[in-house]
């Protein structure tokens, strides 16, 4: 199945937080990072749904572990 991509406005409908807050949370590893799709910032629906399902703190811990694994590789 193809991954659904969300634009910022779509993300904000699902997770009602301000644009500046989204980018601050991304920087702090507390929100899914956007990807570029033809020069447009998009989020993967599966990552946003995971963030909602497990909560911000668990998502943060998951991203910290991924970053640590990237350093080791």
């Amino acid at each position: 199945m193809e991954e659904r991509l969300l634009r910022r406005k779509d993300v904000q409908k699902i997770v009602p937080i301000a644009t500046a807050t989204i980018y601050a949370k991304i920087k702090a590893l507390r929100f899914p990072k956007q990807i570029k799709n033809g020069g447009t910032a998009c989020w993967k629906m599966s990552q946003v749904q995971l963030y909602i399902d497990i909560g911000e703190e668990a998502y943060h811990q998951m991203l910290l572990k991924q970053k640590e694994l990237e350093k080791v590789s």
Side-chain angles (χ1 to χ4, degrees), residues 4-66:
R4 182 169 172 220
L5 298 178
L6 303 171
R7 304 276 304 267
R8 182 186 46 79
K9 288 182 179 182
D10 299 323
V11 171
Q12 288 178 300
K13 287 177 185 174
I14 299 169
V15 183
I17 55 178
T19 301
T21 303
I22 289 173
Y23 288 106
K25 285 179 182 279
I26 290 170
K27 188 174 180 179
L29 299 177
R30 294 193 163 274
F31 196 80
K33 187 174 175 144
Q34 74 276 30
I35 60 169
K36 293 288 183 175
N37 183 29
T40 302
C42 297
W43 284 260
K44 291 182 178 181
M45 178 64 184
S46 61
Q47 290 179 347
V48 174
Q49 189 62 52
L50 179 63
Y51 170 83
I52 293 167
D53 291 345
I54 67 173
E56 183 175 318
E57 188 57 37
Y59 196 84
H60 175 64
Q61 293 302 319
M62 182 188 77
L63 291 179
L64 287 175
K65 286 179 187 175
Q66 285 178 358

